[in-house]
Amino acid sequence: MTELLLRLFVRDYKNTSSPSVHSAIGKLAGVTGIVCNILLFLGKLAAGILSGSVSIIADAVNNLSDASSSLVTLLGFRMAQQPADRDHPYGHARYEYLSGLVIAALILLIGADLAKSSAEKILHPEDVAFSAVTFAILLCSIAVKIWMALFFVSLGRRIRSTTLRATSVDSRNDVITSSAVLAGCLVNYFLDINIDGWVGLAVAIFILYSGVSIAKETVSPLLGKRADPALVEKISSLVLAHGKILGIHDLLVHDYGPGQCFASLHAELSAEEDPLVCHDIIDEIECEVLEKLNVHLVIHYDPVVQNDEEWDEMRHTVSKIIRDIDPHLSMHDFRMVRGAKQTKLVFDLAVPYSMTDQRRELKDRIDGELSRLGKQYITVIRFDAAE
């Protein structure tokens, strides 16, 4: 079904790196969600009114909130497609993340209101009239929501959309809540135990929990979460595939929304290489990464001395000292500055976040070990935060 809908409504749907395809898939998801959730809301509302069940009405209102969420998703993808302008040079793709945040807020509001209604139902219980029609509507709702959850998660994986993944989780939660409502109705019908209000409260709490979870997931990229390890690996592999690249470091990825990814890194090349050749290599790599990964990459060229015996010896010595202190530490941009009286060793030291408060201690240990080995150098260390 997913493949059929994509074929019918999204041109060139397999080219998921294209911003236009990304937007079209998001719009398809939004329209599908609106139609399905409105139909489910109307069916459950009718069943809830006929049976007098607050839990069924709560579940119906939850579907109405889902329709609102799908509308926000649709608007978010449409607004995210706006081109870059003078005030927003990196485009408007983060509107997709903002739409996910609005969805979370709507879910929290609905959950709070349902919790209040269910509490009143617990304090003042009323008889529930369960019928075959109610049973059929709830069962149909569960089947539709299972399909929607699978549909949204499939689309979310295709375009790597946190908003669609959140929508998928919401649909999956609806399967659980509708199943709970159905179970409560069956208990009331067969055992004559009225747990309608308690089931409604459980549904409300579950909705609130989902809202908080979705809010966390959508806020994270807005705050600047760590880059996707798979993307980092792909960028690194493409860069290092070029024979003249000796190593890379300081890879930073900036996410301005789906389809608007920028990155920078330092690439080490031999200092003896022709600078014009190095420039051409770097330019070629940047174009390749943009073409294959849709990432705007900027590379800083770091020349590396290779035929200096003292430089080579001290670089290996310092590297070993650092590895012995902690294997999670790493060094880059190693240079020697020779003076009239003493030589300086200048380098960057990548330190895990858990060790950032140990910088003074790390420098003292490196200096102490060099002194113990009889190496009379002054160290100038610049500390970087690392994973």
Side-chain angles (χ1 to χ4, degrees), residues 348-384:
D348 288 17
L349 185 62
V351 180
Y353 287 104
S354 60
M355 299 176 65
T356 52
D357 59 341
Q358 303 177 32
R359 296 179 179 183
R360 180 72 258 177
E361 178 186 344
L362 289 171
K363 177 173 169 44
D364 290 343
R365 290 182 65 180
I366 292 170
D367 289 342
E369 191 61 24
L370 285 171
S371 178
R372 188 185 69 80
L373 295 172
K375 308 295 184 181
Q376 302 302 315
Y377 294 95
I378 297 174
T379 60
V380 180
I381 305 175
R382 294 173 296 189
F383 291 90
D384 296 335

Side-chain angles (χ1 to χ4, degrees), residues 2 37-38 61 67 93 113 137 144 159 212 225 236 267 270 294 302 313 343 355 370:
T2 301
N37 283 308
I38 286 179
V61 176
D113 187 61
I137 290 174
V144 171
I159 62 175
V212 172
K225 70 175 183 179
S236 301
S270 174
N294 197 31
D302 280 345
E313 178 192 353
T343 299
M355 299 176 65
L370 285 171

Side-chain angles (χ1 to χ4, degrees), residues 25-286:
I25 291 177
K27 291 174 184 177
L28 172 62
V31 171
T32 303
I34 291 171
V35 173
C36 291
N37 283 308
I38 286 179
L39 291 175
L40 290 174
F41 163 71
L42 294 174
K44 288 182 182 177
L45 182 63
I49 293 173
L50 290 173
S51 65
S53 169
V54 69
S55 61
I56 295 179
I57 294 175
D59 203 19
V61 176
N62 183 36
N63 287 139
L64 182 61
S65 75
D66 291 341
S68 302
S69 300
S70 296
L71 178 61
V72 172
T73 298
L74 182 62
L75 293 174
F77 274 97
R78 182 177 291 277
M79 295 174 72
Q81 200 177 14
Q82 296 179 64
D85 55 36
R86 179 178 296 178
D87 295 327
H88 306 91
Y90 299 107
H92 299 78
R94 280 186 176 174
Y95 269 123
E96 184 180 330
Y97 298 150
L98 290 175
S99 69
L101 191 58
V102 172
I103 290 171
L106 288 172
I107 291 172
L108 289 171
L109 287 172
I110 294 296
D113 187 61
L114 293 180
K116 180 182 176 183
S117 300
S118 299
E120 292 175 355
K121 195 75 171 183
I122 292 172
L123 296 174
H124 307 287
E126 297 176 6
D127 291 336
V128 175
F130 188 65
S131 66
V133 174
T134 304
F135 178 80
I137 290 174
L138 289 175
L139 204 60
C140 179
S141 168
I142 292 170
V144 171
K145 279 295 182 177
I146 289 174
W147 175 81
M148 290 175 67
L150 296 174
F151 177 66
F152 290 136
V153 78
S154 175
L155 296 185
R157 286 172 179 167
R158 283 174 182 266
I159 62 175
R160 296 179 181 175
S161 170
T162 55
T163 299
L164 291 186
R165 284 198 291 269
T167 307
S168 171
V169 170
D170 194 29
S171 295
R172 181 205 66 191
N173 293 345
D174 288 342
V175 173
I176 297 173
T177 56
S178 294
S179 299
V181 169
L182 179 58
C185 291
L186 291 173
V187 168
N188 185 66
Y189 182 76
F190 289 107
L191 302 179
D192 197 25
I193 301 174
N194 192 339
I195 60 171
D196 185 52
W198 291 104
V199 172
L201 182 60
V203 170
I205 292 172
F206 197 79
I207 290 171
L208 289 170
Y209 174 79
S210 300
V212 172
S213 300
I214 293 171
K216 288 181 178 179
E217 185 174 353
T218 52
V219 165
S220 188
L222 290 172
L223 294 177
K225 70 175 183 179
R226 61 173 291 189
D228 180 6
L231 179 60
V232 171
E233 178 61 31
K234 288 178 181 178
I235 294 173
S236 301
S237 297
L238 278 177
V239 176
L240 293 171
H242 291 257
K244 292 186 181 295
I245 301 295
L246 303 177
I248 62 172
H249 55 86
D250 286 350
L251 172 56
L252 302 175
V253 179
H254 306 279
D255 180 9
Y256 289 92
Q260 291 294 326
C261 188
F262 296 78
S264 62
L265 61 81
H266 291 229
E268 298 174 350
L269 293 94
S270 174
E272 298 179 359
E273 195 69 62
D274 186 336
L276 293 177
V277 172
C278 293
H279 178 273
D280 288 343
I281 292 171
I282 288 172
D283 193 51
E284 179 185 343
I285 295 172
E286 290 173 344

